[in-house]
Amino acid sequence: QVQLQESGPGLVKPSETLSLTCTVSDGSISNYYWTWIRQPPGERLEWIGNIDYTGSTNYNPSLKSRVTISVDTSKNQFSLKVDSVTAADTAVYYCATGAGWLPVYWGLGTLVTVSS
Amino acid sequence: EIVLTQSPGTLSLSPGERATLSCRASQSVRSSYLAWYQRKPGQAPRILIYGASSRATGIPDRFSGTESGTDFTLTISRLEPEDFAVYYCQQYGSSPLTFGGGTKVEIK
């Protein structure tokens, strides 16, 4: 079964770039869609976007101008960058994957706080 | 985007009881692409149902999903102690993918 683990700084300053990496084990990164989802405190889960094995990306329009998702097949990792963060970007960030757009396997999530 | 409204927000039940969770979509969900997830503290979300009514691999048959137009229901026929958790619906038929606000099933 595919396992995913998010990693990255837990604290980011306002206006800076949030960067997270998801490491995939027990599965090839070349065969699936790779997704980022977040949940701000007290709010619902929010789909950020995904990338497929060809490198084609899809983003939530609400975040599209600030988000980049990329994949490094040599390291079995995919990454998320969110530019110009504010307190509203404070959330638990999840990476997830599935054979299509449906996220089947999820990581445990990592809390990122935006604060000076 | 499709807005998913889950109800109730909290369901207080005893083990052995039946749980009925609702998810209403603001518009038609393409190809019944509606999933249900379970989330427990400290654990990764687990997919239970996809395609509105298909159980994911390894999910017990006490979990079932149904669809009626834009109304979707997750039923847990007899609650086991491990079923007390938060449940989310999600549509993956159109972009952006969206989630419901969640239903917490707690022990009465």
Side-chain angles (χ1 to χ4, degrees):
Chain A
Q1 176 169 313
V2 177
Q3 296 189 18
L4 302 99
Q5 176 67 60
E6 304 90 351
S7 60
L11 181 65
V12 181
K13 289 183 168 55
S15 80
E16 295 189 344
T17 296
L18 179 161
S19 296
L20 294 174
T21 296
C22 184
T23 301
V24 181
S25 53
D26 298 329
S28 171
I29 200 163
S30 300
N31 300 328
Y32 295 101
Y33 284 73
W34 307 94
T35 300
W36 287 98
I37 294 160
R38 70 181 186 179
Q39 186 170 33
E43 298 184 29
R44 63 181 58 196
L45 291 157
E46 179 180 35
W47 178 78
I48 299 171
N50 65 21
I51 187 168
D52 70 16
Y53 52 90
T54 69
S56 176
T57 53
N58 302 278
Y59 297 124
N60 192 320
S62 67
L63 295 165
K64 186 174 183 177
S65 64
R66 298 191 296 126
V67 167
T68 303
I69 297 175
S70 59
V71 62
D72 186 338
T73 55
S74 66
K75 295 182 179 179
N76 250 27
Q77 294 178 334
F78 63 108
S79 299
L80 170 71
K81 291 187 186 298
V82 182
D83 296 326
S84 306
V85 296
T86 69
D89 294 306
T90 292
V92 175
Y93 285 77
Y94 295 93
C95 60
T97 189
W101 281 54
L102 173 66
V104 174
Y105 304 105
W106 295 55
L108 290 174
T110 186
L111 173 63
V112 179
T113 302
V114 178
S115 175
S116 55
Chain B
E1 72 179 47
I2 296 177
V3 177
L4 299 177
T5 303
Q6 288 189 245
S7 62
T10 302
L11 203 48
S12 298
L13 295 167
S14 301
E17 290 193 295
R18 182 184 188 90
T20 303
L21 289 67
S22 174
C23 175
R24 174 165 290 178
S26 61
Q27 56 188 277
S28 178
V29 175
R30 184 176 71 89
S31 301
S32 302
Y33 283 166
L34 190 287
W36 289 93
Y37 297 89
Q38 176 193 70
R39 191 175 71 182
K40 298 179 185 178
Q43 296 186 18
R46 177 172 74 147
I47 189 166
L48 302 173
I49 301 287
Y50 64 93
S53 60
S54 296
R55 269 189 301 276
T57 302
I59 301 303
D61 61 7
R62 65 179 181 274
F63 291 92
S64 63
T66 58
E67 173 187 7
S68 177
T70 57
D71 291 332
F72 298 84
T73 301
L74 174 70
T75 301
I76 310 171
S77 59
R78 293 174 310 279
L79 283 165
E80 297 287 342
E82 62 267 27
D83 299 336
F84 291 92
V86 180
Y87 293 83
Y88 296 93
C89 59
Q90 181 214 23
Q91 68 81 21
Y92 55 103
S94 58
S95 183
L97 278 62
T98 50
F99 292 85
T103 291
K104 181 180 182 180
V105 179
E106 65 175 23
I107 299 176
K108 186 174 181 180

